[in-house]
Amino acid sequence: MKILKVIVILLVLLIADLIVSSCIRCPETFSFEYSFTSLVLHPIDNEEIMSIMGCNVGDADANPHIFRKDFGITIEFKTSVTKLAQHKQVSSFIVQTAYALDCEEDKYYAKENIVSIGVFSDKDFGETHPAGTNIADFFQIREYFGNIDEFGPFPWLVSFDDYFNRPQQEYDYVSFNHSYTCLITATDVETGEYEFNFVVKLSDDRILEQSITAILK
């Protein structure tokens, strides 16, 4: 009888395994390594600034953070990607007694990371920063959270140093994106046309550099 029970249990497990395997067909996953290759800057106008700083939670005019509403920048990093490894996912009841119904995603790992970002203006930027000095402290990244209610009623801004000094993030294919919305926090500078030069230092000592023309009104 004991042998018969064992056989019955094995048959039940095999049938369950076939059902699970037929319903949960996880594709093979891959590990990738990405490297920063170039820098592209895109201007942001008033309409987009007001939209991203309101975030459908409150009006952007009520946002307590100080930021210019006439001009912003999207910092986009182009990357090259190399496949490192291929992983066969196991979805077997017998081999894997505790299995996940969600398949794993591809993973992306950085070959290098961003050490610092400097911003230099071709004109005096206020009374304290002559042309050619680093004005990166006046530029901040618009923070994106999955649930903004956990952090406050409004989208907030974070400095380059605070943002890029965080532990390096691991990405899946859904979140693999290296674009950052950047707003200017200096509201008392002289209006007019400026040329901002962004200089990015990477951990492998490479420098990525790009300029953009800004008209502050």
Side-chain angles (χ1 to χ4, degrees), residues 31-64:
S31 292
F32 297 91
E33 183 179 66
Y34 63 88
S35 180
F36 297 110
T37 58
S38 62
L39 177 67
V40 182
L41 304 177
H42 306 280
I44 301 174
D45 60 16
N46 170 263
E47 183 177 350
E48 186 171 355
I49 291 172
M50 300 301 282
S51 175
I52 64 174
M53 293 307 287
C55 198
N56 300 318
V57 178
D59 183 56
D61 285 325
N63 193 310

Short mmCIF file of all heavy atoms in Angstrom, two decimals, residues 31-64:
data_model
loop_
_atom_site.label_atom_id
_atom_site.label_comp_id
_atom_site.label_asym_id
_atom_site.label_seq_id
_atom_site.Cartn_x
_atom_site.Cartn_y
_atom_site.Cartn_z
N SER A 31 21.13 38.42 -19.13
CA SER A 31 21.82 39.48 -18.41
C SER A 31 22.56 40.33 -19.44
O SER A 31 23.21 39.80 -20.34
CB SER A 31 22.82 38.90 -17.40
OG SER A 31 22.14 38.25 -16.36
N PHE A 32 22.45 41.66 -19.28
CA PHE A 32 23.08 42.59 -20.21
C PHE A 32 23.98 43.56 -19.44
O PHE A 32 23.71 43.88 -18.28
CB PHE A 32 22.03 43.39 -20.98
CG PHE A 32 21.14 42.56 -21.87
CD1 PHE A 32 19.95 42.05 -21.38
CD2 PHE A 32 21.50 42.29 -23.17
CE1 PHE A 32 19.12 41.29 -22.20
CE2 PHE A 32 20.68 41.54 -24.00
CZ PHE A 32 19.49 41.03 -23.51
N GLU A 33 24.99 44.03 -20.10
CA GLU A 33 25.84 45.09 -19.56
C GLU A 33 25.71 46.30 -20.48
O GLU A 33 25.80 46.18 -21.69
CB GLU A 33 27.30 44.63 -19.51
CG GLU A 33 28.25 45.64 -18.90
CD GLU A 33 29.68 45.12 -18.85
OE1 GLU A 33 30.26 44.92 -19.94
OE2 GLU A 33 30.20 44.87 -17.75
N TYR A 34 25.46 47.47 -19.89
CA TYR A 34 25.33 48.67 -20.71
C TYR A 34 26.43 49.67 -20.37
O TYR A 34 26.94 49.72 -19.25
CB TYR A 34 23.96 49.32 -20.54
CG TYR A 34 23.64 49.83 -19.16
CD1 TYR A 34 23.98 51.13 -18.78
CD2 TYR A 34 22.99 49.03 -18.23
CE1 TYR A 34 23.69 51.61 -17.52
CE2 TYR A 34 22.69 49.50 -16.97
CZ TYR A 34 23.04 50.78 -16.61
OH TYR A 34 22.75 51.26 -15.36
N SER A 35 26.79 50.46 -21.38
CA SER A 35 27.84 51.47 -21.22
C SER A 35 27.35 52.78 -21.82
O SER A 35 26.73 52.80 -22.88
CB SER A 35 29.13 51.01 -21.93
OG SER A 35 30.15 51.97 -21.79
N PHE A 36 27.61 53.89 -21.14
CA PHE A 36 27.22 55.21 -21.65
C PHE A 36 28.12 55.60 -22.82
O PHE A 36 29.34 55.49 -22.75
CB PHE A 36 27.33 56.26 -20.55
CG PHE A 36 26.42 56.01 -19.38
CD1 PHE A 36 26.92 55.64 -18.15
CD2 PHE A 36 25.05 56.16 -19.52
CE1 PHE A 36 26.08 55.41 -17.08
CE2 PHE A 36 24.20 55.93 -18.46
CZ PHE A 36 24.71 55.55 -17.23
N THR A 37 27.50 56.05 -23.90
CA THR A 37 28.27 56.39 -25.10
C THR A 37 28.20 57.87 -25.46
O THR A 37 29.16 58.43 -25.99
CB THR A 37 27.77 55.58 -26.31
OG1 THR A 37 26.38 55.83 -26.50
CG2 THR A 37 28.00 54.09 -26.08
N SER A 38 27.07 58.53 -25.19
CA SER A 38 26.95 59.95 -25.56
C SER A 38 25.86 60.59 -24.72
O SER A 38 25.09 59.92 -24.03
CB SER A 38 26.65 60.11 -27.05
OG SER A 38 25.43 59.49 -27.39
N LEU A 39 25.79 61.90 -24.84
CA LEU A 39 24.87 62.72 -24.06
C LEU A 39 24.05 63.58 -25.01
O LEU A 39 24.60 64.19 -25.93
CB LEU A 39 25.67 63.60 -23.09
CG LEU A 39 24.92 64.59 -22.22
CD1 LEU A 39 24.05 63.86 -21.21
CD2 LEU A 39 25.93 65.49 -21.50
N VAL A 40 22.73 63.61 -24.81
CA VAL A 40 21.84 64.44 -25.63
C VAL A 40 20.97 65.27 -24.69
O VAL A 40 20.42 64.75 -23.72
CB VAL A 40 20.95 63.58 -26.55
CG1 VAL A 40 20.07 64.48 -27.43
CG2 VAL A 40 21.79 62.67 -27.43
N LEU A 41 20.83 66.56 -24.99
CA LEU A 41 20.02 67.47 -24.18
C LEU A 41 18.80 67.94 -24.97
O LEU A 41 18.92 68.33 -26.12
CB LEU A 41 20.85 68.69 -23.75
CG LEU A 41 22.16 68.40 -23.00
CD1 LEU A 41 22.91 69.69 -22.72
CD2 LEU A 41 21.89 67.64 -21.71
N HIS A 42 17.64 67.88 -24.33
CA HIS A 42 16.39 68.30 -24.97
C HIS A 42 15.74 69.40 -24.13
O HIS A 42 15.63 69.26 -22.90
CB HIS A 42 15.41 67.13 -25.09
CG HIS A 42 15.99 65.92 -25.76
ND1 HIS A 42 16.09 65.81 -27.13
CD2 HIS A 42 16.49 64.76 -25.25
CE1 HIS A 42 16.63 64.63 -27.43
NE2 HIS A 42 16.88 63.98 -26.31
N PRO A 43 15.29 70.49 -24.75
CA PRO A 43 14.63 71.56 -23.98
C PRO A 43 13.22 71.16 -23.54
O PRO A 43 12.54 70.38 -24.21
CB PRO A 43 14.59 72.73 -24.97
CG PRO A 43 14.58 72.07 -26.31
CD PRO A 43 15.41 70.82 -26.18
N ILE A 44 12.79 71.70 -22.41
CA ILE A 44 11.44 71.49 -21.90
C ILE A 44 10.76 72.85 -21.78
O ILE A 44 11.34 73.79 -21.20
CB ILE A 44 11.46 70.80 -20.53
CG1 ILE A 44 12.17 69.45 -20.61
CG2 ILE A 44 10.05 70.61 -19.99
CD1 ILE A 44 12.36 68.79 -19.27
N ASP A 45 9.54 72.99 -22.29
CA ASP A 45 8.86 74.28 -22.25
C ASP A 45 7.96 74.38 -21.02
O ASP A 45 7.84 73.46 -20.21
CB ASP A 45 8.06 74.51 -23.53
CG ASP A 45 6.99 73.44 -23.77
OD1 ASP A 45 6.65 72.69 -22.82
OD2 ASP A 45 6.50 73.34 -24.90
N ASN A 46 7.30 75.53 -20.90
CA ASN A 46 6.47 75.82 -19.73
C ASN A 46 5.35 74.79 -19.54
O ASN A 46 5.08 74.34 -18.42
CB ASN A 46 5.87 77.23 -19.87
CG ASN A 46 4.80 77.50 -18.83
OD1 ASN A 46 3.61 77.35 -19.10
ND2 ASN A 46 5.21 77.90 -17.63
N GLU A 47 4.71 74.40 -20.63
CA GLU A 47 3.57 73.48 -20.53
C GLU A 47 4.00 72.14 -19.93
O GLU A 47 3.33 71.59 -19.05
CB GLU A 47 2.97 73.26 -21.92
CG GLU A 47 1.73 72.36 -21.91
CD GLU A 47 1.11 72.22 -23.28
OE1 GLU A 47 1.52 72.96 -24.21
OE2 GLU A 47 0.21 71.37 -23.43
N GLU A 48 5.14 71.63 -20.38
CA GLU A 48 5.62 70.34 -19.85
C GLU A 48 6.08 70.48 -18.41
O GLU A 48 5.85 69.59 -17.59
CB GLU A 48 6.74 69.80 -20.72
CG GLU A 48 7.19 68.40 -20.32
CD GLU A 48 8.15 67.78 -21.30
OE1 GLU A 48 8.42 68.39 -22.36
OE2 GLU A 48 8.63 66.66 -21.00
N ILE A 49 6.74 71.60 -18.08
CA ILE A 49 7.20 71.82 -16.71
C ILE A 49 6.01 71.82 -15.75
O ILE A 49 6.02 71.17 -14.70
CB ILE A 49 7.98 73.13 -16.60
CG1 ILE A 49 9.32 73.01 -17.33
CG2 ILE A 49 8.23 73.50 -15.13
CD1 ILE A 49 10.08 74.32 -17.44
N MET A 50 4.96 72.56 -16.10
CA MET A 50 3.78 72.65 -15.24
C MET A 50 3.10 71.30 -15.10
O MET A 50 2.56 70.96 -14.05
CB MET A 50 2.81 73.69 -15.80
CG MET A 50 3.39 75.09 -15.88
SD MET A 50 3.95 75.72 -14.28
CE MET A 50 2.38 76.19 -13.56
N SER A 51 3.15 70.50 -16.17
CA SER A 51 2.53 69.17 -16.14
C SER A 51 3.28 68.23 -15.20
O SER A 51 2.68 67.57 -14.35
CB SER A 51 2.48 68.58 -17.55
OG SER A 51 2.00 67.26 -17.52
N ILE A 52 4.60 68.17 -15.33
CA ILE A 52 5.35 67.21 -14.53
C ILE A 52 5.47 67.63 -13.07
O ILE A 52 5.62 66.79 -12.19
CB ILE A 52 6.76 66.97 -15.10
CG1 ILE A 52 7.59 68.26 -15.05
CG2 ILE A 52 6.69 66.42 -16.51
CD1 ILE A 52 9.04 68.06 -15.47
N MET A 53 5.36 68.93 -12.78
CA MET A 53 5.47 69.36 -11.40
C MET A 53 4.12 69.44 -10.71
O MET A 53 4.04 69.66 -9.51
CB MET A 53 6.18 70.72 -11.32
CG MET A 53 7.64 70.66 -11.74
SD MET A 53 8.62 69.39 -10.87
CE MET A 53 8.77 70.15 -9.25
N GLY A 54 3.03 69.25 -11.46
CA GLY A 54 1.72 69.13 -10.86
C GLY A 54 1.38 67.67 -10.59
O GLY A 54 0.79 67.33 -9.58
N CYS A 55 1.77 66.82 -11.53
CA CYS A 55 1.64 65.36 -11.38
C CYS A 55 0.20 64.92 -11.08
O CYS A 55 -0.01 63.91 -10.46
CB CYS A 55 2.57 64.86 -10.28
SG CYS A 55 2.89 63.08 -10.35
N ASN A 56 -0.79 65.70 -11.53
CA ASN A 56 -2.20 65.37 -11.32
C ASN A 56 -2.58 65.23 -9.86
O ASN A 56 -3.62 64.71 -9.54
CB ASN A 56 -2.57 64.06 -12.07
CG ASN A 56 -2.35 64.17 -13.55
OD1 ASN A 56 -2.67 65.18 -14.15
ND2 ASN A 56 -1.81 63.13 -14.16
N VAL A 57 -1.73 65.69 -8.96
CA VAL A 57 -2.02 65.63 -7.53
C VAL A 57 -2.38 67.02 -7.02
O VAL A 57 -3.29 67.19 -6.23
CB VAL A 57 -0.79 65.08 -6.75
CG1 VAL A 57 -1.08 65.08 -5.27
CG2 VAL A 57 -0.46 63.68 -7.24
N GLY A 58 -1.68 68.00 -7.47
CA GLY A 58 -1.96 69.38 -7.09
C GLY A 58 -1.44 70.29 -8.18
O GLY A 58 -0.67 69.88 -9.04
N ASP A 59 -1.86 71.50 -8.16
CA ASP A 59 -1.43 72.45 -9.18
C ASP A 59 0.05 72.76 -9.02
O ASP A 59 0.55 72.93 -7.90
CB ASP A 59 -2.25 73.73 -9.07
CG ASP A 59 -1.91 74.72 -10.15
OD1 ASP A 59 -2.00 74.36 -11.34
OD2 ASP A 59 -1.54 75.85 -9.81
N ALA A 60 0.80 72.85 -10.14
CA ALA A 60 2.24 73.09 -10.06
C ALA A 60 2.56 74.42 -9.39
O ALA A 60 3.61 74.57 -8.76
CB ALA A 60 2.86 73.04 -11.46
N ASP A 61 1.66 75.40 -9.49
CA ASP A 61 1.91 76.69 -8.85
C ASP A 61 1.96 76.57 -7.33
O ASP A 61 2.55 77.41 -6.65
CB ASP A 61 0.81 77.69 -9.25
CG ASP A 61 0.98 78.19 -10.67
OD1 ASP A 61 2.14 78.35 -11.09
OD2 ASP A 61 -0.03 78.41 -11.35
N ALA A 62 1.34 75.53 -6.79
CA ALA A 62 1.33 75.33 -5.34
C ALA A 62 2.50 74.47 -4.87
O ALA A 62 2.67 74.27 -3.67
CB ALA A 62 0.01 74.68 -4.92
N ASN A 63 3.29 73.97 -5.81
CA ASN A 63 4.44 73.15 -5.44
C ASN A 63 5.41 73.99 -4.61
O ASN A 63 5.82 75.07 -5.03
CB ASN A 63 5.13 72.62 -6.70
CG ASN A 63 6.12 71.52 -6.40
OD1 ASN A 63 6.97 71.65 -5.53
ND2 ASN A 63 6.02 70.43 -7.14
N PRO A 64 5.81 73.52 -3.42
CA PRO A 64 6.68 74.33 -2.55
C PRO A 64 8.11 74.45 -3.05
O PRO A 64 8.85 75.30 -2.57
CB PRO A 64 6.63 73.58 -1.21
CG PRO A 64 6.33 72.16 -1.59
CD PRO A 64 5.42 72.24 -2.79
#
